[in-house]
């Protein structure tokens, strides 16, 4: 939630904004068990109920939060006025060969890093290994986080998208190197009431580096919802 504070400060000029940290994120500790997208969605559902809001909110999800938001919007559309997906990790295509090679290398790497000549550079080597597998966050995690990470990246939610009829805004940066803009276009095509807005030259963290443009799209979207 701390990374969202500058954005929230500006958003509060027009909205009553609430930011929910997820387990293993922000100040919420990791659980003892391995969570998947369904469990995260139920956690957000409980958190929203505890807020005791007097009117239906707009649900905004960024990156993995967007994956969770899609699951919650699909199961409980009656809770929300609308849905906003910011560079949402909804599409998780299966890459069995790449993943098998990655985990085989990772396991071998544990042995390789024990060699005296490599040991001093093992931290950097591990980061390079995980970056090569396009999973840079993996190197920063604890064991339970890694198990959660492995589970959620296998959960593709595209099958839910055609059934979500909430008014939906999809916002994407054209230079997002984490999730390609083609994902945003594919998501928009699958959702019956979705519109896609692209922010030129923007990367993955729209709330961090493109605050004003992101908020402008949000305000326009909110004003158009009946």
């Amino acid at each position: 939630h701390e990374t969202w504070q500058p954005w929230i400060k500006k958003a509060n000029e027009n909205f009553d904004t609430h930011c929910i940290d997820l387990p293993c994120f922000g100040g919420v500790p990791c659980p003892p068990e391995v969570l998947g997208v369904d469990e995260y969605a139920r956690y957000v559902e409980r958190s929203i109920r505890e807020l005791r809001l007097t009117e239906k909110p707009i649900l905004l999800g960024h990156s993995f939060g967007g994956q969770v938001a899609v699951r919650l919007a699909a199961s409980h559309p009656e809770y929300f006025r609308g849905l906003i997906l910011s560079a949402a990790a909804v599409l998780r295509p299966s890459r069995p060969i790449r993943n098998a090679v990655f985990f085989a290398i990772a396991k071998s790497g544990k042995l390789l890093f024990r060699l005296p000549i490599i040991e001093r550079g093992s931290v950097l080597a591990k980061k390079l290994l995980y970056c090569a597998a396009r999973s840079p966050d993996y190197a920063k995690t604890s064991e339970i986080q890694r198990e959660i990470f492995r589970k959620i990246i296998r959960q593709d939610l595209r099958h839910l998208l055609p059934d979500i009829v909430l008014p939906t805004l999809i916002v994407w940066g054209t230079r997002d190197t984490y999730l390609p803009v083609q994902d945003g276009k594919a998501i928009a095509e699958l959702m019956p009431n979705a519109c896609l807005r692209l922010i030129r030259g923007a990367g993955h963290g729209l709330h961090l580096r493109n605050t004003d443009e992101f908020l402008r799209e949000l305000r326009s979207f909110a004003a158009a919802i009946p």
Side-chain angles (χ1 to χ4, degrees):
H1 67 278
E2 292 179 0
T3 65
W4 281 83
Q5 287 312 304
W7 188 91
I8 289 172
K9 184 177 180 180
K10 288 191 174 184
N12 279 339
E13 296 174 5
N14 303 99
F15 304 98
D16 180 17
T17 310
H18 301 270
C19 185
I20 298 172
D21 272 343
L22 301 176
C24 288
F25 294 84
V28 182
C30 290
E33 70 277 6
V34 177
L35 304 183
V37 176
D38 289 354
E39 290 81 11
Y40 272 105
R42 286 195 288 271
Y43 176 87
V44 174
E45 179 192 352
R46 290 194 300 271
S47 299
I48 291 174
R49 286 204 307 266
E50 288 170 2
L51 291 173
R52 299 185 181 278
L53 302 175
T54 58
E55 57 185 65
K56 292 182 180 181
I58 295 172
L59 178 63
L60 188 160
H62 169 69
S63 198
F64 169 56
Q67 188 180 14
V68 176
V70 162
R71 186 67 190 88
L72 183 53
S75 57
H76 290 289
E78 70 278 7
Y79 288 1
F80 307 106
R81 290 181 56 223
L83 174 65
I84 298 174
L85 301 176
S86 166
V90 177
L91 309 182
R92 302 285 195 175
S94 176
R95 299 186 180 93
I97 295 176
R98 194 202 74 182
N99 287 341
V101 171
F102 165 53
F103 287 117
I105 292 173
K107 289 177 181 179
S108 300
K110 290 180 180 179
L111 298 176
L112 183 63
F113 296 142
R114 292 176 187 170
L115 297 176
I117 194 170
I118 297 177
E119 189 171 356
R120 285 178 57 193
S122 62
V123 174
L124 176 59
K126 288 179 182 178
K127 289 183 178 179
L128 291 175
L129 170 64
Y130 297 130
C131 285
R134 294 187 65 194
S135 302
D137 291 337
Y138 192 86
K140 305 174 185 177
T141 58
S142 65
E143 187 59 36
I144 189 69
Q145 286 175 303
R146 293 183 186 190
E147 292 300 321
I148 291 172
F149 183 86
R150 290 172 188 168
K151 185 171 183 176
I152 64 175
I153 63 172
R154 296 189 181 107
Q155 295 185 268
D156 187 293
L157 301 186
R158 74 184 70 219
H159 64 285
L160 298 177
L161 299 177
D163 295 327
I164 297 177
V165 296
L166 284 169
T168 302
L169 170 66
I170 300 167
V171 191
W172 225 276
T174 58
R175 293 190 178 181
D176 191 328
T177 57
Y178 283 86
L179 296 170
V181 70
Q182 287 78 8
D183 281 14
K185 294 177 181 179
I187 293 169
E189 289 176 0
L190 288 168
M191 301 185 74
N193 291 323
C195 61
L196 174 65
R197 294 290 182 266
L198 302 180
I199 298 182
R200 299 294 172 186
H204 190 62
L206 299 178
H207 62 292
L208 295 173
R209 300 177 183 86
N210 304 88
T211 304
D212 292 335
E213 297 98 321
F214 190 17
L215 276 172
R216 188 158 50 244
E217 295 293 351
L218 192 154
R219 285 193 294 265
S220 177
F221 172 70
I225 298 177

